[in-house]
Amino acid sequence: MSTGNTPAHDPWDPMRRTTQARIGLQRSGYTLSTRDVLSFQADHAAARDAVHTRMDINTVGKGLRELGFDEPIAVTSRASSRAEYLRRPDLGRMPADLSSIESSGADIGIVIADGLSATAVDTHAVALVDALTSVLLPQFTVAPPVLASQARVALGDHIGEALGVETLIVIIGERPGLSVADSLGIYLTYAPEPGRRDSERNCISNIHPPDGLGYADAARIVAALVTGARQLGASGVALKDTSAGEAAEVSAEHSGLT
């Protein structure tokens, strides 16, 4: 039995359970159904909010302290406002003042940057850092985290150089889409310094459980990349993620297949 324009059995339902994409949208006359129009408007508003909202530095900082870190250092780019940040990507790559950062000499530095989705940072960053430290400690030393506002990825190069770390991990809010507004990305750079090219970084994206990549899986990939970067002396296109193969080997060992 059908109700209105909705069929009793919708063949798209099984596929909808495996993706957040808009597929098999219902029609009402010559346009989309009211339900789908309202859903689109709501997701569009969430994406706009994610771009324009400021990172909640106090809440993120509190979460990091609860993980055992000292008071995180907060810095900003040269973009004086969110509006200027969106208009001038170049200013988001340059620091306003890094005098509060001291050289740590640690193996790894962590920068939490608002990027294009402060919503993603507020929602996932602390839990992701928790997962990262669980796989990186104690074999690596980790510098106190830095919170960066109005930040693009390349701002991390300046911060990493100031921290004096061997490898830098930038956790940043990714550009929101019309189905996901709270996705995080991780950019890993070996020997960070101003002028690093994007080809000299490794990226892990789409981190937003439960629908995207989970914290533990992202952390496992980062740990493999950190180890590989140290062995290779470089990151980026020359460095490949071998974590999936390593996980398969471990699984085989535990199952008695090797």
Side-chain angles (χ1 to χ4, degrees):
M1 178 179 178
S2 298
T3 302
N5 293 326
T6 303
H9 172 69
D10 189 343
W12 291 95
D13 278 345
M15 294 185 66
R16 288 196 187 97
R17 289 193 287 269
T18 64
T19 180
Q20 293 175 283
R22 286 179 166 78
I23 58 174
L25 301 182
Q26 298 293 326
R27 299 188 66 83
S28 178
Y30 293 103
T31 186
L32 295 176
S33 68
T34 300
R35 179 191 62 186
D36 290 329
V37 169
L38 292 176
S39 174
F40 178 89
Q41 291 175 342
D43 288 342
H44 185 255
R48 288 177 60 87
D49 286 346
V51 169
H52 290 283
T53 300
R54 289 181 175 273
M55 174 171 56
D56 189 343
I57 290 179
N58 291 333
T59 299
V60 175
K62 178 182 177 182
L64 293 173
R65 292 194 299 272
E66 290 174 350
L67 294 181
F69 288 102
D70 293 334
E71 185 70 30
I73 303 165
V75 301
T76 64
S77 73
R78 293 186 185 175
S80 60
S81 66
R82 197 66 184 166
E84 185 175 47
Y85 167 79
L86 295 173
R87 292 195 308 268
R88 295 284 304 276
D90 57 316
L91 296 180
R93 301 184 183 105
M94 300 295 295
D97 180 14
L98 299 182
S99 60
S100 59
I101 297 179
E102 297 181 359
S103 179
S104 67
D107 296 322
I108 297 171
I110 296 177
V111 175
I112 300 175
D114 52 5
L116 289 171
S117 177
T119 300
V121 172
D122 294 344
T123 304
H124 301 294
V126 173
L128 180 56
V129 171
D130 189 20
L132 287 171
T133 54
S134 70
V135 297
L136 295 175
L137 298 176
Q139 60 267 43
F140 300 109
T141 55
V142 179
V146 176
L147 303 180
S149 299
Q150 321 288 33
R152 303 279 176 171
V153 173
L155 181 63
D157 295 332
H158 299 267
I159 297 171
E161 183 181 55
L163 285 171
V165 295
E166 182 180 62
T167 304
L168 185 72
I169 296 170
V170 175
I171 300 170
I172 192 166
E174 295 185 312
R175 184 187 304 274
L178 290 175
S179 58
V180 179
D182 65 340
S183 182
L184 282 180
I186 293 176
Y187 289 82
L188 182 144
T189 307
Y190 183 82
E193 61 180 10
R196 286 294 188 195
R197 300 183 299 272
D198 287 341
S199 60
E200 296 176 289
R201 316 184 201 283
N202 293 84
C203 176
I204 304 106
S205 63
N206 201 38
I207 305 168
H208 58 100
D211 298 309
L213 186 66
Y215 307 133
D217 287 336
R220 172 178 52 80
I221 295 171
V222 168
L225 290 174
V226 169
T227 300
R230 288 168 64 91
Q231 295 171 347
L232 186 65
S235 55
V237 295
L239 177 62
K240 305 303 179 184
D241 170 27
T242 61
S243 59
E246 293 170 358
E249 291 176 7
V250 171
S251 177
E253 291 173 1
H254 281 269
S255 62
L257 297 178
T258 59

